[in-house]
Amino acid sequence: HAAGVLDDGVLGSLTVERVEAVLRPKVDAAVNLHELTDDLTAFVMFSGAAGVFGAAGQGAYAAANAFLDALAVYRRGRGLPGVSLAWGLWESVSGLTGGLGVVDRRRMSRNGMRALSSAEGAVLFDRALVGGEALVVPARLDLPALRARARAEGGVAPFLSRLVRVPQRPMADNAVSEVPELGHRLAVLDSAEREGLLLDLVRSQVAGVLGHQGAEEVEPERAFKDLGFDSLTAVELRNRLNQATGLRLPATLVFDHPTPLALTELLHTELLPEHDQEIPLVLEELDRLEAALAAGITDDDVQDTVRTRLQGLLWRLSDGSISADVDVTNGRAFDPTTDEEMFDLIDKELGTS
């Protein structure tokens, strides 16, 4: 049983009709063969690796293949012959893979799946028939690529753990996330610099998805559809940006924001809302100051200077007069009021006098 139909799309786009069209040639046909045949020496079904590994944009196809895998196990449990071959990618073009472009094949290669030659496929087919297992995965795995992906994502699927061993990161490393680092970097930049940093991030992720050598090959104002994106690459880009930014972006990201530049503007808005862009930097500096004060100041003169400056800042904040033109030359804030006047005002604001 080797029939199959593809109708790829993100999960939200899968209608009942689209799912039925994919399930019918695999599931319905397999059930008919199961019910209408008897006294067989072999019952062989061609499944696909999508049902085992999962595949972005192939929810219906993965489900259809998983059914075949389960049917093989069911038949074996009843003493009947049955084997499901969850094939990986083949080098030779077929009705299912004829639409795969260079970008698609690069994506599969990055995900750790390399193409099988016809000769390799024939050998694996013969082995599957005599191996005694209900489900086999005749696929050519690229272990270095899987290790690289595991390092980037922090691990692999459990069923690959014996093939791909990734050293555990020290606890200190696990506690450090790139997402807060991105937020801190953005917080200390002006608007133009933020846009530049985020555009570089978007272009580098787009280049990674499309298999380009570098971000410079991605034109900021060129539409994603002209760059070669489809629903699968759109999902991969969304996942990459979610991981890099800590956001939860929709699968329709590249369709709602059709160029790298438009996508950059979205990230800027989501990461640093206009009314909140300056607050993170102030709070971060206050955290640093609090930590420094907690460490203790032993010099009395330094204590007096710090106390004076903090009280002055508090007074200015209460008075609403803090601005960019405050003179802090030589580390001191200058004000026409005397210390006594300033402290009196502070005490009144705090309700202590």
Side-chain angles (χ1 to χ4, degrees), residues 225-245:
K225 64 179 182 179
D226 295 331
L227 290 170
F229 270 77
D230 56 18
S231 61
L232 301 185
T233 44
V235 169
E236 183 177 352
L237 178 61
R238 187 278 307 270
N239 292 344
R240 283 170 168 255
L241 289 174
N242 279 350
Q243 185 175 1
T245 64

Side-chain angles (χ1 to χ4, degrees), residues 113-130:
M113 186 74 69
R114 302 182 67 182
L116 290 167
S117 68
S118 296
E120 290 171 325
V123 171
L124 293 175
F125 178 86
D126 290 340
R127 290 183 180 178
L129 294 189
V130 298

Side-chain angles (χ1 to χ4, degrees), residues 238-277:
R238 187 278 307 270
N239 292 344
R240 283 170 168 255
L241 289 174
N242 279 350
Q243 185 175 1
T245 64
L247 297 173
R248 298 193 64 177
L249 301 167
T252 56
L253 189 67
V254 302
F255 305 104
D256 298 334
H257 307 276
T259 67
L261 188 59
L263 184 49
T264 297
E265 294 171 356
L266 171 70
L267 295 183
H268 189 273
T269 301
E270 293 291 327
L271 290 168
L272 292 165
E274 196 65 34
H275 67 279
D276 206 28
Q277 288 181 4

Side-chain angles (χ1 to χ4, degrees), residues 21-101:
V22 174
L23 296 187
R24 188 175 299 115
K26 278 189 176 289
V27 174
D28 290 1
V31 170
N32 289 337
L33 290 171
H34 166 68
E35 293 179 345
L36 299 176
T37 57
D38 192 16
D39 194 24
L40 301 176
T41 57
F43 190 101
V44 185
M45 295 173 286
F46 279 15
S47 173
V52 177
F53 291 88
Q58 292 193 317
Y61 188 66
N65 288 317
F67 180 89
L68 300 190
D69 301 340
L71 179 59
V73 174
Y74 175 76
R75 287 181 58 86
R76 289 270 180 161
R78 299 188 63 180
L80 301 172
V83 59
S84 181
L85 283 71
W87 290 106
L89 180 66
W90 285 60
E91 285 179 351
S92 57
V93 176
S94 69
L96 290 179
T97 62
L100 291 179

Side-chain angles (χ1 to χ4, degrees), residues 98-156:
L100 291 179
V102 174
V103 171
D104 301 302
R105 290 181 177 271
R106 285 176 178 170
R107 181 179 65 252
M108 297 183 75
S109 178
R110 288 195 307 275
N111 289 338
M113 186 74 69
R114 302 182 67 182
L116 290 167
S117 68
S118 296
E120 290 171 325
V123 171
L124 293 175
F125 178 86
D126 290 340
R127 290 183 180 178
L129 294 189
V130 298
E133 298 290 339
L135 169 62
V136 295
V137 185
R140 188 178 181 188
L141 300 182
D142 185 341
L143 296 184
L146 284 171
R147 292 189 189 99
R149 182 180 176 187
R151 285 192 293 268
E153 298 180 0
V156 294

